[in-house]
Amino acid sequence: MNKYIAELFGTFWLVLGGCGSAVLAAAFPDVGIGLLGVSLAFGLTVVTMAYAIGHISGCHLNPAVSIGLWAAGRFDAKELAPYIAAQVVGGIVGGGILYAIASGQAGFDVAAGFASNGYGEHSPGQYSLTSALIAEVVMTMMFLLVIIGATDKRAPAGFAPIAIGLCLTLIHLISIPVTNTSVNPARSTGVAVYVGDWALGQLWAFWVAPIVGALLGATLYRVIGRDA
């Protein structure tokens, strides 16, 4: 059970650290960390957890990553369901702790978004569903390409967490204005359940697009990363 518990707490940290930076600190009066800070926070959650639990569970923290690694031949199919369950539960627990903290501020309104992912009128930049799907598919595809490549036995040892964390930071720098950046169904679910309403109504997109992107990324690496 250790690997499932590790995935649960790792995803908990990703949601609390990443979404927490967006909800609590991004627009804090005068000294908010902004989009750059939020992007860095998501990257840091992955780097810190990769070193903390990578040797226990592989530090997937993301159903799309687990599915992509399975598609790349790096992960056993029988582990998919328990890994995804642990990640989703961890995300919801992280969202719950964040809600408990954020709701202690006067004027807090979960309906304002709570770092949920969205498209159309719920996109930070009012981007369409088509734009959101393209962004999430492509960003997740590149994320899996980096993850699989950085953890290849031929890659420099010990640097994978840094490359993966920086990749997630870059992904957020690009796509926060489009969807608030998901590339992770557990992260999306972890806050959407507290917002309800539109966030749950649009949640399907942030399961489908990252999974499609992960499968594409795994397929791409199978082509370009195979031994000569």
Side-chain angles (χ1 to χ4, degrees), residues 13-228:
W13 183 235
L14 183 144
V15 171
L16 181 58
C19 295
S21 70
V23 172
L24 303 176
F28 191 77
D30 301 326
V31 291
I33 62 174
L35 298 186
L36 177 58
V38 173
S39 300
L40 184 59
F42 271 101
L44 288 173
T45 63
V46 170
V47 172
T48 53
M49 279 296 104
Y51 283 113
I53 67 169
H55 56 287
I56 300 171
S57 69
C59 192
H60 298 184
L61 316 185
N62 182 337
V65 169
S66 295
I67 291 170
L69 290 174
W70 162 76
R74 299 276 195 88
F75 192 60
D76 195 329
K78 72 175 186 287
E79 297 280 19
L80 276 176
Y83 259 62
I84 291 171
Q87 292 155 0
V88 171
V89 170
I92 292 172
V93 173
I97 295 297
L98 178 57
Y99 181 86
I101 296 169
S103 60
Q105 182 184 43
F108 170 73
D109 180 12
V110 71
F114 198 53
S116 287
N117 302 112
Y119 53 83
E121 63 179 316
H122 301 294
S123 156
Q126 307 288 291
Y127 285 86
S128 68
L129 172 60
T130 300
S131 294
L133 292 175
I134 293 172
E136 290 291 325
V137 168
V138 173
M139 296 302 155
T140 314
M141 179 183 74
M142 295 308 298
F143 193 34
L144 263 292
L145 185 65
V146 170
I147 290 170
I148 298 170
T151 55
D152 193 300
K153 62 185 179 181
R154 296 166 294 175
F159 293 99
I162 298 172
I164 295 167
L166 288 175
C167 181
L168 189 59
T169 298
L170 176 59
I171 286 169
H172 279 78
L173 287 171
I174 298 168
S175 60
I176 284 178
V178 183
T179 62
N180 242 353
T181 308
S182 172
V183 301
N184 184 340
R187 168 263 189 266
S188 298
T189 304
V191 289
V193 295
Y194 297 96
V195 178
D197 192 29
W198 66 266
L200 287 177
Q202 296 190 353
L203 183 60
W204 67 270
F206 303 103
W207 275 85
V208 173
I211 289 172
V212 170
L215 293 173
L216 289 173
T219 301
L220 179 59
Y221 194 80
R222 277 187 176 272
V223 173
I224 67 174
R226 61 190 175 191
D227 290 323

